[in-house]
Amino acid sequence: MVSLDFTDMVENAPCGYVSLSPAGRMEYVNRTLTGWSGHTADQMIGKRFSDFLTMAGRIYYETHIAPLLRMQGSFDEFAIDVIKADGQRLQMIANATERRDTDGKPLSIRLALIRATDRRRYEQELLRAREAARTGERSAEVNLQREHETSELREQFIAVLGHDLRNPLASISAGVRILDRTVQTEKERQVIAMMQTTVMRMAGLIDDVLDLARGRLGGGIRLNLDFGKPLEPVLMGVVDELRLASPGRIIEAEFKIERPVNCDGQRLGQMLSNLVGNALTHGSSSKPVIVHAETREREFELWVSNAGQPIPQAAMDKLFEPFFRGNAHASRQGLGLGLYIASQIAKAHGGELTVSSTSEETKFTFTMPLSPEARTSGK
């Protein structure tokens, strides 16, 4: 009988092999994939798998692959591009399975990845040859115009996709609520709870994608201004929700809103939720997150601060860019759009969102003029 070295078979398999935690963080990567990608195992383990994908790949994986994998347990032959250490794309075909315990609780996700560079190149060359045969050589100006149109069409597609996903997701949510009334076993209750969590997460991702598309298409964040509605109860409601969602963490809030604020309260609540969630994720767990809002003579100010490690300067330059996640914890999943959307909400109100970070404190500050005339005139 031939003696088999299973460790060598896995490490040097003719395909990349990855094991993820249920939250999507890489727990194991074989030598084949590290060799293909140029990343070391230490650079990849502990990071989210989606951190190594292209922008389009992150959207596809987070909004399509991950939810379906959670619901059906496997997903076969999906195309995805991994970003190599040198910044180049590594085109791959992947298969994924989710391993669960006897109660249906997810234990790990396993991915097998095969290089598809030659296959993709062949397909692209066929498309280019057909295009050249039809239209001939185009000028640089025409190509530039087409690239612009393609980019705009891509953004429109994202917006339409977000809208079209709402109706089936609402139906799923309604169905889950009906099923929740008839559960009889603990296992059924766990499955319903998992589906409810997945629906809520997908709804949040859809909202973020829609806000991204609006911002990129030039429409900006939509506001519903209400000068008469008190703002403090809205902000306090956000703080109370996050306190319930983060037991063991201290969130201190102080509000001195003594004048009416002409704003979209729901949007400012969304901004505050993003900022406090960011502070809970990256701040010191032993120190409180502090929320402060007040009206001054001519402006409204809202800030959130936390203790912990300072933000590196390289990250500071990218904080408000879409899809930038930094070293996000597994407890906060998403596409990396929170701070980008917060900055767009600030801009839509004629205000500004800034950040400062030292070894003692990291602080995000939003300021906006109270006078609508000052917002439009830029004063």
Side-chain angles (χ1 to χ4, degrees):
M1 181 180 292
V2 177
S3 177
L4 298 178
D5 185 345
F6 289 99
T7 300
D8 180 73
M9 289 176 63
V10 173
E11 284 290 336
N12 298 298
C15 66
Y17 185 77
V18 177
S19 179
L20 309 177
S21 69
R25 291 197 172 273
M26 305 176 76
E27 296 179 328
Y28 171 81
V29 55
N30 73 343
R31 192 177 297 130
T32 300
L33 186 58
T34 58
W36 287 347
S37 68
H39 298 290
T40 66
D42 289 339
Q43 291 172 333
M44 302 183 79
I45 292 176
K47 302 288 184 62
R48 291 184 59 80
F49 175 68
S50 58
D51 291 342
F52 294 88
L53 304 181
T54 61
M55 182 185 299
R58 292 178 190 176
I59 294 176
Y60 182 62
Y61 184 86
E62 294 284 359
T63 62
H64 189 69
I65 300 299
L68 284 178
L69 182 60
R70 179 58 52 88
M71 298 185 72
Q72 65 189 28
S74 65
F75 204 99
D76 297 330
E77 296 186 359
F78 56 94
I80 205 157
D81 289 351
V82 173
I83 300 298
K84 298 169 62 177
D86 60 6
Q88 298 297 311
R89 294 185 180 187
L90 179 60
Q91 298 171 328
M92 313 197 81
I93 300 293
N95 292 293
T97 60
E98 188 177 66
R99 189 167 66 92
R100 303 175 181 176
D101 62 16
T102 55
D103 294 325
K105 182 179 179 180
L107 298 175
S108 65
I109 299 169
R110 294 173 176 175
L111 290 167
L113 301 104
I114 302 172
R115 282 198 296 188
T117 305
D118 292 339
R119 171 178 167 179
R120 300 269 196 95
R121 183 185 298 117
Y122 177 72
E123 293 171 349
Q124 291 168 359
E125 287 174 354
L126 284 178
L127 291 173
R128 282 196 294 267
R130 185 169 62 180
E131 184 68 17
R134 287 177 177 176
T135 62
E137 294 295 327
R138 291 180 172 86
S139 66
E141 182 179 355
V142 172
N143 285 333
L144 183 62
Q145 177 64 25
R146 181 169 182 176
E147 179 63 26
H148 174 75
E149 293 172 353
T150 301
S151 176
E152 184 171 315
L153 180 62
R154 186 184 303 116
E155 302 290 356
Q156 291 173 343
F157 170 75
I158 291 174
V160 172
L161 177 65
H163 281 293
D164 288 348
L165 284 174
R166 285 184 180 276
N167 288 337
L169 189 62
S171 298
I172 294 172
S173 179
V176 171
R177 288 196 299 271
I178 294 173
L179 291 174
D180 189 40
R181 302 169 188 167
T182 61
V183 294
Q184 298 180 355
T185 66
E186 181 61 27
K187 184 173 182 179
E188 289 176 348
R189 186 171 289 104
Q190 291 176 356
V191 172
I192 292 297
M194 180 179 68
M195 293 177 67
Q196 289 173 330
T197 301
T198 300
V199 168
M200 291 176 61
R201 179 165 176 258
M202 289 186 69
L205 290 171
I206 291 170
D207 289 339
D208 284 351
V209 169
L210 286 173
D211 282 339
L212 170 70
R214 293 186 189 113
R216 289 293 190 89
L217 289 171
I221 296 291
R222 296 177 182 175
L223 298 182
N224 181 24
L225 299 179
D226 189 341
F227 191 74
K229 188 175 182 179
L231 179 60
E232 184 172 331
V234 177
L235 301 181
M236 183 55 73
V238 172
V239 172
D240 289 339
E241 288 177 3
L242 290 171
R243 283 171 175 163
L244 289 174
S246 304
R249 297 297 297 273
I250 298 175
I251 305 176
E252 298 178 355
E254 181 184 30
F255 299 128
K256 299 179 180 179
I257 305 176
E258 300 171 350
R259 301 176 60 187
V261 181
N262 186 24
C263 65
D264 186 326
Q266 183 177 358
R267 284 296 191 180
L268 289 192
Q270 180 184 4
M271 172 195 287
L272 180 60
S273 179
N274 287 343
L275 295 180
V276 175
N278 185 72
L280 291 171
T281 298
H282 299 285
S284 171
S285 60
S286 62
K287 298 294 180 65
V289 172
I290 301 174
V291 179
H292 180 90
E294 67 175 296
T295 51
R296 297 176 178 170
E297 182 179 353
R298 295 184 177 180
E299 68 178 14
F300 169 74
E301 180 180 83
L302 169 69
W303 54 260
V304 176
S305 71
N306 63 269
Q309 294 295 322
I311 302 173
Q313 186 58 48
M316 290 277 281
D317 296 336
K318 299 180 179 180
L319 276 182
F320 299 119
E321 294 181 5
F323 304 107
F324 181 75
R325 293 160 53 88
N327 297 318
H329 294 187
S331 60
R332 294 286 296 183
Q333 302 179 23
L335 297 172
L337 295 175
L339 291 179
Y340 167 76
I341 292 173
S343 68
Q344 293 298 302
I345 293 173
K347 182 179 179 181
H349 280 88
E352 183 180 18
L353 181 62
T354 59
V355 59
S356 61
S357 186
T358 66
S359 57
E360 289 79 28
E361 177 189 60
T362 293
K363 184 175 182 180
F364 286 84
T365 303
F366 164 65
T367 56
M368 60 170 273
L370 289 175
S371 168
E373 293 77 13
R375 299 182 202 176
T376 57
S377 63
K379 294 180 182 178

